[in-house]
Amino acid sequence: MTIPKQTDPPEGPLAPLRFIDVHARDLSRVADSLVEMLDMRLTGVIVREAFPKAALQAAVAHLSATPAPVRAWDIRCFGDREPETQDPRYAGFSFGMSLTNSFADLSLYLASSAQMVAALPELFGGSYDFLAELQRILSVIAGRPVAPMPAPNGATYAPVSARRLLEGATLTIHRGNEFFDWPSNHDLVQRVDTRDQISFFTPLQPPPAGGALHIYPGYFPPPQREHLEVKSARELAEADRQMQVTVLNPEAGDLVVFDGGRYLHRVTAAHGGERWTIGGFVCPTPDAERVWMWA
Ligand SMILES: O=C(O)CCC(=O)C(=O)O
Ligand SMILES: [Fe+2]
């Protein structure tokens, strides 16, 4: 089996992976750690039991209802037009259109974001303010205020999207910094320091098996990623083992914040049930005074 040789990404060598794992009650131990991620002295943090499971389960129930309070988009719908039909081979959905799946014209994305912003207060059962708690935790990690990013004409980027992977669905190998020059990111790159895009997410409901986050210690270019993706799940798992990926299996309510901008990563197929997560991205503003979140 051919395994891609891991090299340095175009922007320079990668540091060895390093994560800090803390319980939410010890959050102060990861205060100001965002700057360490931006400087590549730290790959990420895992904050255990950041959110109550019952509120997260309420969000899954609300989003599963018909009609859903927020429209679901095919997670693989990269392109330049509105997807008309969802592709059953991929069986992955994003509640709230994600910016990467959007187009140069942001109107559809911003309409979807408005729907998510309007739905968020009720999504977690009404009495739990998920967004406020998420902003509080991220602000400790960022060491400065974290808030949803403003958009043109008084609109707002969605601070989070919810991701649903049906049985067998995956998130393929990618890294966030490669999205900055996509047409859909043209407004975003005016508003943030684009040195590094930091990912965050929390499982709403992990699948019984699979659905792990694999993070690669090195870099390989898109053609080799595609070469890997067509391997069987077993071969790809073996390739990942040989490449010494770091495997994260967060529980419902654990918050993962990591350097998904520089480091390639993927989510393995969900098995035995669906995988639900909610998350987005953060970057400091160019003056470093605050941090914007978007999805
Ligand atoms: O599991 C998720 O929802 C997203 C994982 C990922 O690719 C990211 O957070 O950048
Ligand atoms: Fe990612």
Side-chain angles (χ1 to χ4, degrees):
M1 181 170 45
T2 47
I3 309 291
K5 185 172 152 3
Q6 296 184 88
T7 58
D8 299 335
E11 64 270 31
L14 294 170
L17 291 167
R18 179 178 159 246
F19 278 87
I20 302 180
D21 199 318
V22 296
H23 190 270
R25 75 174 86 85
D26 301 319
L27 184 65
S28 62
R29 281 182 43 208
V30 289
D32 272 335
S33 56
L34 183 72
V35 66
E36 293 187 56
M37 292 181 229
L38 296 171
D39 291 347
M40 229 199 322
R41 286 178 280 130
L42 179 68
T43 317
V45 301
I46 304 154
V47 181
R48 302 287 175 186
E49 298 191 72
F51 309 104
K53 287 192 174 70
L56 304 183
Q57 205 52 56
V60 173
H62 276 112
L63 290 169
S64 305
T66 318
V70 183
R71 178 172 165 185
W73 304 79
D74 191 312
I75 226 164
R76 298 279 302 239
C77 68
F78 308 118
D80 55 7
R81 64 193 175 89
E82 183 173 356
E84 281 143 29
T85 51
Q86 290 162 338
D87 186 336
R89 281 178 305 168
Y90 300 126
F93 306 97
S94 168
F95 290 84
M97 179 186 243
S98 68
L99 185 66
T100 44
N101 291 7
S102 173
F103 325 109
D105 176 351
L106 293 178
S107 50
L108 200 59
Y109 168 79
L110 291 174
S112 169
S113 296
Q115 206 180 40
M116 176 58 94
V117 168
L120 272 175
E122 291 303 318
L123 213 51
F124 294 84
S127 60
Y128 182 69
D129 193 340
F130 172 78
L131 181 59
E133 185 60 2
L134 174 63
Q135 280 182 244
R136 184 188 73 78
I137 296 170
L138 289 176
S139 298
V140 171
I141 293 170
R144 55 210 136 156
V146 178
M149 184 163 61
N153 305 321
T156 307
Y157 283 77
V160 287
S161 64
R163 299 97 187 224
R164 177 188 202 178
L165 300 184
L166 304 186
E167 170 76 33
T170 68
L171 295 180
T172 56
I173 304 169
H174 64 279
R175 57 184 206 123
N177 290 355
E178 293 175 4
F179 299 138
F180 283 135
D181 57 6
W182 287 25
S184 57
N185 281 233
H186 66 89
D187 175 71
L188 171 107
V189 297
Q190 311 296 313
R191 298 176 187 275
V192 297
D193 168 359
T194 56
R195 197 159 41 120
D196 192 27
Q197 175 175 307
I198 301 295
S199 292
F200 69 85
F201 74 93
T202 187
L204 299 171
Q205 180 187 294
L213 179 68
H214 285 197
I215 306 167
Y216 296 82
Y219 171 85
F220 40 92
Q224 296 186 27
R225 297 174 208 167
E226 278 155 36
H227 203 73
L228 277 176
E229 297 287 358
V230 297
K231 290 189 188 298
S232 70
R234 210 174 49 79
E235 278 187 320
L236 182 47
E238 174 58 21
D240 281 3
R241 202 186 57 74
Q242 290 191 33
M243 287 189 281
Q244 298 188 300
V245 297
T246 291
V247 177
L248 297 187
N249 267 307
E251 295 285 327
D254 296 348
L255 178 67
V256 178
V257 185
F258 76 105
D259 186 351
R262 294 190 184 98
Y263 293 85
L264 289 169
H265 56 280
R266 73 179 182 101
V267 173
T268 65
H271 287 304
E274 299 181 355
R275 178 187 192 268
W276 288 75
T277 54
I278 192 164
F281 310 96
V282 288
C283 271
T285 53
D287 66 6
E289 289 292 309
R290 52 172 62 241
V291 167
W292 293 140
M293 61 201 302
W294 78 92

